[in-house]
Amino acid sequence: MTTHQDTAWQRSRSFQPAASTVHLRFLTLDVRVRFFRLFAPLLSGQIQPKRIRAMNKLLLLFTLLALPANLYAQTATQTVRGKITDAASKAPIPGASILVVGSNPPIGSSTDAGGNFRLAQVPVGRVSLQVTYLGYEPMFIKDIVVNAGKEVVLDLPLTESVTTLAEATVAYKRSEDVTVTNNEMAAVSARPFNPGETLKYAGSLGDPSRMAANFAGVSGANDARNDIVVRGNSPSTLLWRMDGVNIPNPNHFGALGTSGGPVSMINANLLAKSDFLTGAFPAEYANALGSVFDLRLRKGNDERHEFLLQAGFNGVEAGAEGPYSKKSKASYLVNYRYSLFGILSNLGYEIAGTPYYQDFTFKTDIPVGKRGSLSLWTIGGRSNITFLGKDVATDGDAYGDENENTRVKFFTGMGAISYEHRFSDRTYGKLTFSGSRTEQNFSGDTVIYADSEVKEILSEIPSESAAFINEKLSVNASLNHKLSAKDKISAGVIVDLNRFDLTNTRLYPQTQFYRNTAGETMLSQAYLQWKHRFTDQLTLNTGLSLLHYELSNKAVVEPRLGATYLLNDRSSLSAAYGLHSNIQPVLLSFYQTQNPDGSYQMANQDLGFTRSHHFVLGYQRNLTENLHLKAEAYYQAVFDAPVESTPSYYSVLTEGADFGPIDKGNLVNTGTGRNYGLELTLEKYFARNYYFLITTSLFDSKYKGSDGIERNTPFNSRYVVNALAGKEFRLGRRDNIFSINGKVTTAGGRYIRPIDLDASAAGNTTIYDDSRAFSEQLSGYFRTDLKFSYKMNRKRLTHEFALDLQNITNNRNVFQQAYNQRTNRVGTAYQQGFLPIPYYRLTF
């Protein structure tokens, strides 16, 4: 039997490695056991009542302070306003009609010369709007939530009709479909979402990634983090975008080279309608192999000042927005959030391993003349945590090592300034300058005790340190032109200058430099897209993207093609193809190997792109006005994946199983992989006070390392089924709404590298049998969440209370396995047990 002993940084996640072999690797702290421990006080299933009581007391305090003095005010109303524009050119449409569907007496308006409209005295609750204009497809916007504490401000694009008035027939209207994305070049595998969905779904916690895990083709990696697996691809192949800018990992405790973390820095309260794409995406998206989050920050209210207070799992936050002056249409949007766990600790509730984090978001939008607009936004966050060996429990199979102290700090900052100008009613362009900086610092100590029973510390020996800095300066330029009602073209250039300073050194028991380099490199992209509508029924999207990576001096060309045909007034058929590429993570590219003479060399700098062909076929049908069926089949052929130059199981396609890159040198682009599957979605949009969403994914994910053996990827769970539903009840008067939302998820288990127990016992640490890598599957995953919420609308303010009961059956889903020295057997750690999470929000 061929066995493989873990590298030292992997041994740091074993149950109890010997002090002399302790070797902590920086990235493991974010992505393996130690960052599962990050929320272990609440997410381990062994909830300490003292901590729950403390959190509940704090939220109760917020609730009592915010209760209104008059609970019996008159029925509340609110203003709904916005702007109507041409979808292709963004030119304002004057004279369009807007009507609140079913209102009595009728509530309606029309747009002015600037395309603006206003609907006053709209009753709070849920409403639908109908927008019409001669020569354009009518638009129906359903399920708009109107609260007393905040105005509803909408940007609504109308699509020009291809047919003339005489030729027009009753047909499917794309603008009527609530599944329509912001990016009109996307033909398949794309879904829009709004902030309400991230707050509505049980278990989502206001996190876009956790919300997306409910969609077909998507599964969560584990309960402690928000990494997502899309169609069998590694979470690290996800591309994050914010207002058209490629951004770094926007999560607290998010390590370089990963795409997720325990808590998102993206605040759902500040998002506008955004897109999530899972394959064969348009040409403007490059350097992405698996999926794309295309997020958009909303504009602040440009007419009145509004405020927000909120407390929940993600922290305690305050926000404000409004105009700079009554005469100006310029607006601002600002929000600050601080860790709830950190506040509890500062109040005297001592919690070992308390995660501290805070983030800040700011955006301003300033009109420039009648045709221009200037926008500036910035997002920044800090997070840190300390694990002390003396706090680790040594009984049973608990994770952690009492012989290690670990301290980590993270910082992520990003921002952009952009100018958009409408040159004519058919042409507009946008120029954006952006920058980002990420910092990760780690220090680890080996702890030696004079008395291990009482944990009397004799000495603490520095064992490893790391400092990673990655900066990016970018320029994005795009131009869009509407040739006619049938044709639109767009083109753009994106240039990213990446600067890095990477230091990672083992200090004990012997010195070794894993990374010690600084420099810069550039990634450049140019793209061209064309949309042609042959008729109102048939649309063709084409595109071409060119990528060049300076570090390896490699260039690739990526064609994209998509088509949609409306079969009748209820159904459509779509197909798409895309060739996609992904550069390698910077930490993998600059990993050093040590030569026999003690010198070091860069082992992976010449690596090229990992590439894949995407093929997707989709069918959609509106079974009724509010019931939608969607089916997609896909095949993805991956090639040029980095594998070891000597025969082994390893491939970069397995990265992300533990959400941090494994240090491997001397890699070559000869690996392959394949993902194929079928996805089904049945969705009942919110109507008659209830909704439901059922998604099913059946798939297979395989890869080949340099040994030529086809294996399961660690993400090949084979199936994922989600069932979500919710219903609203009006209690007493229209203003008070009680909601129940539920979710059930079941999925196959992950594939793992089997542990060689005999070899692990002999080596006193975890040793894997890599001749059988990813041949054993963990038990299946099952979880049920239930959320109760209550909303009170009063004059100019809204209270929202919620209780999210996660994993209400307390099902023991396997998190990870490792060798336990204390018991001399393979131990199992489990994911989140039953966890109640209260929530409160006040808008006024």
Side-chain angles (χ1 to χ4, degrees):
M1 179 186 300
T2 301
T3 60
H4 173 79
Q5 182 171 338
D6 251 345
T7 56
W9 72 285
Q10 292 169 310
R11 295 199 299 271
S12 69
R13 65 180 175 88
S14 301
F15 288 92
Q16 191 181 16
S20 61
T21 62
V22 171
H23 175 196
L24 303 176
R25 296 310 309 266
F26 174 73
L27 287 175
T28 65
L29 306 176
D30 176 69
V31 298
R32 294 175 179 263
V33 174
R34 289 189 169 275
F35 272 88
F36 182 75
R37 290 173 56 204
L38 187 148
F39 289 101
L42 296 178
L43 301 181
S44 65
Q46 301 174 346
I47 307 172
Q48 296 187 19
K50 180 179 178 181
R51 300 176 185 181
I52 294 297
R53 289 196 301 269
M55 183 166 63
N56 288 340
K57 287 179 180 178
L58 184 62
L59 292 175
L60 179 61
L61 176 62
F62 273 90
T63 301
L64 294 175
L65 290 176
L67 282 175
N70 181 6
L71 296 180
Y72 300 97
Q74 296 181 351
T75 299
T77 62
Q78 186 54 273
T79 297
V80 177
R81 61 185 181 87
K83 187 173 184 177
I84 309 296
T85 59
D86 182 280
S89 67
K90 292 192 175 183
I93 298 178
S97 298
I98 303 95
L99 177 69
V100 178
V101 179
S103 57
N104 187 19
I107 301 175
S109 180
S110 60
T111 56
D112 59 19
N116 301 297
F117 70 91
R118 175 184 296 273
L119 302 170
Q121 300 297 310
V122 178
V124 298
R126 294 180 184 266
V127 300
S128 297
L129 297 184
Q130 177 179 349
V131 184
T132 56
Y133 186 69
L134 184 64
Y136 283 76
E137 296 179 0
M139 171 180 280
F140 295 86
I141 310 98
K142 303 176 182 178
D143 193 24
I144 301 173
V145 178
V146 181
N147 292 324
K150 181 172 180 53
E151 284 189 344
V152 178
V153 183
L154 303 169
D155 288 318
L156 304 177
L158 286 186
T159 300
E160 187 175 2
S161 178
V162 173
T163 57
T164 64
L165 187 62
E167 297 171 334
T169 60
V170 177
Y172 172 93
K173 301 300 182 182
R174 184 178 188 275
S175 55
E176 184 177 334
D177 192 341
V178 297
T179 65
V180 171
T181 56
N182 290 324
N183 193 320
E184 58 181 336
M185 295 291 180
V188 298
S189 302
R191 179 189 173 111
F193 65 92
N194 59 62
E197 290 178 278
T198 66
L199 299 171
K200 176 175 65 177
Y201 293 154
S204 293
L205 299 175
D207 185 328
S209 294
R210 287 186 167 94
M211 175 214 62
N214 300 308
F215 299 158
V218 186
S219 62
N222 70 64
D223 292 342
R225 292 170 54 91
N226 61 13
D227 305 82
I228 54 175
V229 175
V230 177
R231 294 180 172 177
N233 288 285
S234 165
S236 62
T237 62
L238 166 68
L239 172 67
W240 285 99
R241 266 199 168 191
M242 178 64 73
D243 283 352
V245 173
N246 299 335
I247 61 175
N249 183 349
N251 289 282
H252 289 294
F253 305 98
L256 200 61
T258 67
S259 64
V263 180
S264 176
M265 290 170 50
I266 303 299
N267 194 315
N269 293 311
L270 310 181
L271 289 178
K273 177 184 174 183
S274 302
D275 292 344
F276 179 64
L277 304 95
T278 57
F281 16 88
E284 67 178 272
Y285 304 113
N287 192 28
L289 210 62
S291 54
V292 177
F293 258 119
D294 192 354
L295 305 175
R296 297 189 181 186
L297 288 172
R298 65 180 178 85
K299 295 181 180 180
N301 194 317
D302 59 5
E303 291 189 3
R304 80 176 208 184
H305 296 280
E306 297 176 332
F307 305 93
L308 172 144
L309 295 173
Q310 180 173 303
F313 173 83
N314 291 339
V316 177
E317 64 183 87
E321 61 183 285
Y324 289 106
S325 68
K326 293 182 178 180
K327 297 181 180 180
S328 171
K329 297 298 288 184
S331 65
Y332 69 90
L333 181 68
V334 63
N335 187 280
Y336 175 76
R337 179 170 54 182
Y338 192 83
S339 161
L340 177 62
F341 303 102
I343 291 177
L344 293 175
S345 181
N346 292 333
L347 290 176
Y349 294 92
E350 294 298 332
I351 304 174
T354 296
Y356 294 88
Y357 54 86
Q358 55 185 313
D359 52 64
F360 173 82
T361 303
F362 173 79
K363 186 186 182 187
T364 184
D365 292 275
I366 304 172
V368 180
K370 294 182 178 181
R371 292 180 175 267
S373 63
L374 183 70
S375 176
L376 182 148
W377 60 266
T378 182
I379 299 175
R382 292 185 179 276
S383 51
N384 65 276
I385 191 168
T386 297
F387 296 111
L388 299 178
K390 66 182 181 62
D391 296 325
V392 175
T394 57
D395 56 328
D397 286 338
Y399 267 97
D401 181 9
E402 64 269 30
N403 297 110
E404 297 176 2
N405 289 339
T406 302
R407 298 173 178 85
V408 290
K409 294 181 180 180
F410 295 81
F411 167 78
T412 299
M414 62 193 85
I417 182 170
S418 62
Y419 176 71
E420 184 172 290
H421 188 81
R422 185 163 52 86
F423 297 100
S424 69
D425 287 344
R426 292 184 176 272
T427 306
Y428 70 93
K430 186 176 183 180
L431 178 64
T432 303
F433 296 95
S434 62
S436 65
R437 178 182 173 95
T438 60
E439 299 177 5
Q440 302 173 26
N441 293 277
F442 157 75
S443 63
D445 301 329
T446 294
V447 182
I448 300 177
Y449 296 98
D451 186 338
S452 59
E453 293 297 325
V454 297
K455 294 189 175 180
E456 179 184 347
I457 298 176
L458 178 64
S459 64
E460 296 177 346
I461 304 173
S463 57
E464 187 169 352
S465 67
F468 299 150
I469 298 176
N470 191 39
E471 297 177 331
K472 185 175 72 172
L473 298 175
S474 304
V475 58
N476 297 38
S478 63
L479 186 67
N480 298 265
H481 180 66
K482 178 181 176 181
L483 298 170
S484 65
K486 292 186 174 183
D487 294 282
K488 175 187 176 179
I489 58 173
S490 62
V493 175
I494 303 174
V495 179
D496 297 332
L497 174 63
N498 291 284
R499 297 173 177 172
F500 49 86
D501 189 347
L502 312 173
T503 303
N504 187 191
T505 308
R506 184 177 69 179
L507 305 171
Y508 177 83
Q510 60 189 31
T511 301
Q512 183 175 348
F513 295 96
Y514 296 103
R515 292 170 183 85
N516 187 20
T517 185
E520 62 183 39
T521 188
M522 185 177 294
L523 178 67
S524 304
Q525 177 196 358
Y527 66 89
L528 177 66
Q529 300 178 127
W530 172 46
K531 177 179 181 178
H532 178 69
R533 303 174 66 199
F534 294 95
T535 65
D536 279 332
Q537 286 72 41
L538 180 60
T539 301
L540 177 69
N541 298 324
T542 63
L544 192 68
S545 183
L546 173 65
L547 270 176
H548 178 262
Y549 191 37
E550 184 183 49
L551 180 65
S552 59
N553 195 28
K554 300 289 196 307
V556 293
V557 178
E558 302 177 348
R560 313 287 171 89
L561 180 67
T564 300
Y565 182 69
L566 307 182
L567 300 172
N568 51 48
D569 62 338
R570 288 190 173 187
S571 58
S572 65
L573 185 67
S574 302
Y577 162 77
L579 176 58
H580 303 270
S581 307
N582 202 177
I583 62 173
Q584 309 310 323
V586 64
L587 290 179
L588 185 65
S589 296
F590 289 98
Y591 176 67
Q592 295 182 151
T593 57
Q594 191 170 17
N595 299 318
D597 62 1
S599 62
Y600 293 89
Q601 67 176 8
M602 297 293 182
N604 301 319
Q605 275 191 297
D606 294 331
L607 285 176
F609 295 84
T610 301
R611 313 192 69 195
S612 71
H613 297 284
H614 289 213
F615 302 88
V616 184
L617 182 65
Y619 173 76
Q620 299 189 60
R621 182 174 179 83
N622 290 325
L623 301 177
T624 66
E625 180 183 0
N626 295 300
L627 185 61
H628 184 77
L629 174 67
K630 179 180 180 181
E632 285 194 348
Y634 65 89
Y635 182 85
Q636 180 184 10
V638 185
F639 60 100
D640 288 351
V643 296
E644 291 187 292
S645 56
T646 56
S648 80
Y649 80 95
Y650 177 76
S651 169
V652 75
L653 300 181
T654 65
E655 297 287 15
D658 296 310
F659 313 111
I662 299 173
D663 291 335
K664 295 286 185 178
N666 302 312
L667 302 182
V668 292
N669 289 100
T670 58
T672 60
R674 60 175 174 84
N675 301 305
Y676 64 88
L678 175 66
E679 301 166 359
L680 298 174
T681 299
L682 181 64
E683 183 169 12
K684 161 68 168 57
Y685 305 129
F686 191 95
R688 298 181 179 178
N689 297 323
Y690 78 97
Y691 75 93
F692 65 77
L693 171 65
I694 301 173
T695 62
T696 300
S697 306
L698 306 174
F699 65 99
D700 191 46
S701 179
K702 298 289 181 62
Y703 81 98
K704 287 183 180 180
S706 55
D707 59 6
I709 300 174
E710 187 175 65
R711 294 180 170 88
N712 297 291
T713 70
F715 318 108
N716 192 20
S717 61
R718 299 187 182 275
Y719 73 91
V720 181
V721 179
N722 295 291
L724 298 90
K727 184 172 178 59
E728 290 186 352
F729 304 88
R730 300 191 181 278
L731 302 182
R733 304 182 306 112
R734 176 184 175 89
D735 298 353
N736 302 330
I737 300 174
F738 176 70
S739 303
I740 301 177
N741 296 276
K743 170 188 172 182
V744 178
T745 297
T746 181
R750 294 191 297 112
Y751 280 88
I752 62 172
R753 297 158 62 200
I755 295 174
D756 188 325
L757 182 58
D758 293 336
S760 298
N764 215 28
T765 188
T766 301
I767 296 178
Y768 295 94
D769 178 8
D770 284 331
S771 65
R772 299 187 298 122
F774 304 115
S775 62
E776 292 187 3
Q777 189 177 20
L778 297 175
S779 58
Y781 179 94
F782 179 82
R783 175 172 149 176
T784 302
D785 299 332
L786 193 61
K787 182 179 181 180
F788 300 95
S789 60
Y790 183 62
K791 181 189 296 184
M792 297 190 304
N793 281 293
R794 297 296 176 258
K795 188 176 182 180
R796 292 195 174 276
L797 59 84
T798 299
H799 300 270
E800 296 178 67
F801 310 85
L803 180 63
D804 204 334
L805 304 176
Q806 300 196 354
N807 195 6
I808 59 175
T809 64
N810 202 32
N811 193 61
R812 287 162 62 87
N813 297 305
V814 176
F815 168 62
Q816 197 165 340
Q817 294 181 335
Y819 173 69
N820 188 340
Q821 286 187 30
R822 294 186 285 266
T823 61
N824 193 32
R825 64 186 179 89
V826 175
T828 300
Y830 295 91
Q831 301 197 52
Q832 172 187 313
F834 171 68
L835 176 63
I837 299 179
Y839 162 89
Y840 170 73
R841 181 168 69 165
L842 171 67
T843 52
F844 58 99

